[in-house]
Amino acid sequence: IEKMKVERFVTGIISTNCYLAVNEETRQAVVVDPAACPSYLLSHIKSEGIKIEALLLTHAHFDHIMGIDGFVDEFHVPVYVYEEDADAMTDPKLNQSSVYTGGYTYEGVKSIKEGQILKLAGYDFEVFHTPGHTKGGCCYYVRSEGVLFSGDTLFQNSIGRTDFPGGSMSDLVRAVKEKLMVLPDETLVYPGHMGETTIGHEKTHNPFL
């Protein structure tokens, strides 16, 4: 399979990583965590002839979802979120948007669950439920490419905050240890904020583990 090209765009009011995972052979792609939908990103997608197939959400916090409408209006694609975060998509308190903005909701989301495989852009995106940052936090693993989109579950040398409603430090640490640390060391980890890392690096350097 043609190697996946992962492009990172830092957008939104708290510098969220929005990823474009592109199949360079077919020019199909998915967007992970559309924090915002800046015009430069839309023009990049169009000028590169990239075909967006879906939006994948790692969780429902406002800083990962507020660009949904812009992408959906433009590309008419499905939006996926883990089933336990689906209610937060329509509740500005739960998705924290009422705290930081005038409030944001999105109605038409599709729920996914543990172990589900989304076949998109020529790749299999495996869904791992990793609660702790939110109840329905999840990661997307593309085994063939050795790539993990970890959202706010796992960061470089850190893990997500657990002081929001539905958060749990013990759940988060357990999910990271049982579901992520068992992946191959060379797995590339693309988190929701800050720089990328690898599973091997986190095994040895992450103070939370």
Side-chain angles (χ1 to χ4, degrees), residues 114 126-130 137-139 141 143 148 179-180 183:
E114 173 67 30
E126 292 179 47
V127 178
F128 294 164
H129 184 210
T130 50
C138 75
C139 299
Y141 180 48
R143 197 174 294 270
L148 178 82
K179 294 188 180 167
L180 306 187
L183 299 175

Side-chain angles (χ1 to χ4, degrees), residues 129-203:
H129 184 210
T130 50
H133 178 64
T134 64
K135 288 188 314 222
C138 75
C139 299
Y140 298 95
Y141 180 48
V142 187
R143 197 174 294 270
S144 64
E145 304 299 297
V147 163
L148 178 82
F149 295 98
S150 66
D152 290 359
T153 292
L154 178 65
F155 296 123
Q156 189 178 45
N157 301 338
S158 188
I159 57 176
R161 286 174 58 174
T162 57
D163 55 337
F164 294 117
S168 158
M169 176 62 85
S170 55
D171 285 357
L172 190 59
V173 170
R174 186 183 319 122
V176 169
K177 284 183 173 167
E178 291 176 0
K179 294 188 180 167
L180 306 187
M181 290 303 120
V182 296
L183 299 175
D185 281 359
E186 62 277 9
T187 304
L188 273 173
V189 179
Y190 293 100
H193 302 275
M194 304 174 292
E196 64 190 63
T197 183
T198 63
I199 292 295
H201 176 89
E202 296 312 312
K203 273 186 193 164

Side-chain angles (χ1 to χ4, degrees), residues 7-8 62 90 97 117 137 145 161 163 166 198:
E7 299 180 56
R8 176 172 73 131
F62 78 98
T90 55
S97 63
I117 292 179
E145 304 299 297
R161 286 174 58 174
D163 55 337
T198 63

Side-chain angles (χ1 to χ4, degrees), residues 14-31:
I14 49 176
S15 301
T16 304
N17 293 331
C18 169
Y19 296 104
L20 203 51
V22 187
N23 181 326
E24 296 206 274
E25 207 174 347
T26 65
R27 309 307 293 158
Q28 296 164 304
V30 300
V31 175

Side-chain angles (χ1 to χ4, degrees), residues 54-59 78-86 109-120 125-129 135-141:
L55 306 183
L56 304 182
L57 309 178
T58 59
H59 63 294
V79 182
Y80 296 99
V81 77
Y82 199 83
E83 54 189 355
E84 284 178 58
D85 263 17
V109 78
K110 291 182 186 298
S111 293
I112 51 176
K113 46 166 101 57
E114 173 67 30
Q116 195 167 338
I117 292 179
L118 300 172
K119 293 188 175 293
L120 297 164
F125 289 81
E126 292 179 47
V127 178
F128 294 164
H129 184 210
K135 288 188 314 222
C138 75
C139 299
Y140 298 95
Y141 180 48

